[in-house]
Amino acid sequence: MKIVRTTYLSLGTNLGNRIENLQSAIDEINISLGHVLKISSVYKSKSWGFDGEEFYNICLEVSSSLAPERMIKAVLGIEQKLGRRRNSQQGYNNRTIDIDILLFDDEIIFFNDLKVPHPEMLNRRFILVPLSEIAPDMIHPIAKKTILTCLQNCKDLGVIEKVNSVLTRPISLVEKFNYIAIEGNIGSGKTSLAKRIGDDFNAKLVLERFADNPFLPKFYADEERYAFPLEMSFLADRYHQLTDDLAQFDLFKNFIVSDYFIFKSLIFAQITLPKEEYVLYRKMFDIMYKEIAKPDVYVFLYQNTERLIENIKKRGRDYEQNIQADYLEKIHKGYLSFIQSKEELNTLIIDVSALDFVNDENDYQIILKQILEFNPG
């Protein structure tokens, strides 16, 4: 798991609907950077270094697992998304949104254009006033003084006025869900997505141990002979793994993400087993299913068959290379039938056929936003 650090940001805007600009930036930060913990009051001040409309400024406390280089890229992406257009002109100018990284825990960072602590923060009351509101006892790593003391020593005489507007702190994935299960057909990217979410949100990651199953290569070579032992071994492994990991729920920050749910066993068994063997299998499954904790949200990644086959060939597992399109379509129909029959499972279907969430950050953020905005019934 990544190290989670506390980061302080300064946000400013002087174009358009300034409150909407700030709220939009907060919402995007909560998705792209990390969990927004605190939001200061909104403060109004004159434009700094040029003649322009008055600025609205706030500071945020954010818990993030992003490294500095990824964080600055995410910040620039949010600014651009919200309409900021940087140009080659020297000096200050009007902007829809301006996001500065002020502090990154107690670290001192010089990375390309990123300098932390922000080199001008101690000279600007419009930064120190909102920052001292949410982090008065935070020690500035260079000045070696608290933020409140830095504010008291600040020589800036600019007038800072509190605005009678309240911004909303968005809920993060960690707050909203305790257990997320991600499912999909073979090659849909469920494991890649689970790993990314687990890494970014410091979650307990539960991954299916399919690579250790000795029957899997044999099944792909002779389905009729090895279908029943394969499905029974999968069922036993999934049951033991989920009961063991979910029983330790509180030990892992109350947030678990898995790349499968046990009902997957029944879907594949329906396809691979003859009727008599399936009846026996179903009896065993029903006993185990009652004992398994259900996820807060069951995310199903829909991927069209052509893309599935491309992904399977790309990842290059020898025993998967002979999987046919009709087999994948049977699995897909099995999932849809299951989803339609289990309304209480809080299912979120996301079409990822046109998304590359492994290599495209924007596509990954699209998926995160859909999960975050999902409201279980």
Side-chain angles (χ1 to χ4, degrees):
M1 294 183 183
K2 290 184 177 179
I3 298 174
V4 178
R5 297 180 176 89
T6 300
T7 302
Y8 291 94
L9 307 175
S10 173
L11 280 64
T13 173
N14 78 327
L15 289 178
N17 189 317
R18 292 165 291 182
I19 293 299
E20 286 186 5
N21 293 343
L22 292 173
Q23 187 65 62
S24 296
I26 292 169
D27 294 340
E28 292 293 334
I29 287 168
N30 195 63
I31 295 173
S32 302
L33 266 68
H35 180 195
V36 175
L37 299 174
K38 294 180 182 179
I39 304 174
S40 74
S41 301
V42 181
Y43 291 88
K44 180 171 62 176
S45 62
K46 292 183 178 180
S47 56
W48 179 279
F50 72 104
D51 291 328
E53 297 295 326
E54 290 181 315
F55 271 83
Y56 279 12
N57 295 284
I58 62 170
C59 283
L60 305 180
E61 179 182 318
V62 179
S63 174
S64 177
S65 63
L66 295 186
E69 58 269 26
R70 277 190 62 194
M71 182 171 290
I72 190 61
K73 289 180 181 178
V75 164
L76 294 175
I78 293 171
E79 289 183 339
Q80 184 177 22
K81 183 176 182 179
L82 297 182
R84 180 168 184 185
R85 298 293 178 262
R86 294 179 179 271
N87 54 51
S88 58
Q89 293 180 353
Q90 296 294 321
Y92 301 99
N93 49 51
N94 298 303
R95 65 209 74 174
T96 54
I97 195 70
D98 181 35
I99 305 173
D100 288 322
I101 302 173
L102 302 178
L103 299 169
F104 193 81
D105 263 352
D106 58 353
E107 296 188 25
I108 299 173
I109 301 169
F110 293 91
F111 176 79
N112 293 338
D113 294 331
L114 175 62
K115 296 178 177 61
V116 178
H118 191 284
E120 296 297 327
M121 63 178 288
L122 299 184
N123 301 319
R124 297 174 177 176
R125 285 179 55 81
F126 67 81
I127 290 178
L128 290 175
V129 170
L131 184 59
S132 65
E133 180 184 317
I134 62 173
D137 299 323
M138 180 70 184
I139 304 295
H140 189 283
I142 295 177
K144 304 298 182 183
K145 297 176 182 178
T146 67
I147 296 301
L148 182 58
T149 301
C150 291
L151 172 60
Q152 293 168 347
N153 295 336
C154 182
K155 293 182 173 56
D156 177 17
L157 300 179
V159 177
I160 309 297
E161 180 183 347
K162 185 180 290 189
V163 176
N164 189 24
S165 296
V166 178
L167 297 166
T168 302
R169 188 181 71 84
I171 296 175
S172 73
L173 282 181
V174 178
E175 290 178 293
K176 190 168 184 178
F177 302 116
N178 291 323
Y179 171 26
I180 299 175
I182 300 173
E183 269 282 22
N185 211 327
I186 301 170
S188 62
K190 54 187 176 293
T191 301
S192 297
L193 181 59
K195 286 181 177 179
R196 178 71 185 275
I197 292 176
D199 199 22
D200 286 349
F201 292 89
N202 202 33
K204 167 64 178 176
L205 192 59
V206 180
L207 300 179
E208 186 175 14
R209 297 187 290 251
F210 63 89
D212 298 329
N213 194 310
F215 293 105
L216 192 56
K218 297 177 181 179
F219 167 76
Y220 284 128
D222 190 345
E223 294 185 11
E224 184 175 353
R225 180 178 179 183
Y226 289 102
F228 189 75
L230 173 71
E231 298 302 342
M232 286 301 298
S233 62
F234 266 142
L235 179 60
D237 287 346
R238 290 165 181 156
Y239 173 78
H240 286 299
Q241 185 180 20
L242 288 176
T243 51
D244 289 347
D245 285 338
L246 296 179
Q248 302 176 48
F249 213 63
D250 291 337
L251 298 180
F252 297 102
K253 302 181 182 179
N254 285 342
F255 185 45
I256 290 178
V257 57
S258 67
D259 70 343
Y260 73 98
F261 181 56
I262 197 169
F263 216 98
K264 175 179 184 176
S265 299
L266 198 60
I267 293 169
F268 279 80
Q270 285 178 315
I271 299 170
T272 59
L273 297 181
K275 184 176 180 181
E276 295 79 7
E277 291 182 351
Y278 177 74
V279 171
L280 175 60
Y281 179 92
R282 182 63 188 259
K283 291 179 180 179
M284 295 298 298
F285 174 86
D286 288 341
I287 294 172
M288 296 180 180
Y289 184 70
K290 294 177 182 178
E291 305 298 323
I292 297 294
K294 308 307 183 287
D296 298 310
V297 56
Y298 175 87
V299 179
F300 179 75
L301 303 181
Y302 169 74
Q303 184 78 270
N304 64 54
T305 303
E306 183 178 350
R307 281 282 303 274
L308 292 174
I309 292 175
E310 289 177 4
N311 292 343
I312 290 170
K313 291 185 180 300
K314 188 182 298 182
R315 69 187 184 188
R317 295 171 184 162
D318 292 339
Y319 55 82
E320 291 181 342
Q321 297 309 304
N322 293 323
I323 294 178
Q324 301 298 310
D326 60 344
Y327 178 68
L328 295 173
E329 290 169 3
K330 287 180 181 178
I331 294 173
H332 178 66
K333 290 178 181 178
Y335 272 116
L336 290 183
S337 177
F338 158 63
I339 289 170
Q340 292 170 358
S341 66
K342 295 290 179 180
E343 295 181 1
E344 75 281 2
L345 198 56
N346 295 325
T347 301
L348 170 63
I349 300 176
I350 301 178
D351 188 343
V352 296
S353 299
L355 301 178
D356 182 7
F357 55 85
V358 174
N359 300 305
D360 191 312
E361 182 68 21
N362 289 330
D363 287 350
Y364 172 64
Q365 297 300 331
I366 288 172
I367 292 176
L368 278 187
K369 189 171 184 179
Q370 289 190 50
I371 297 174
L372 188 58
E373 293 178 349
F374 177 70
N375 292 312

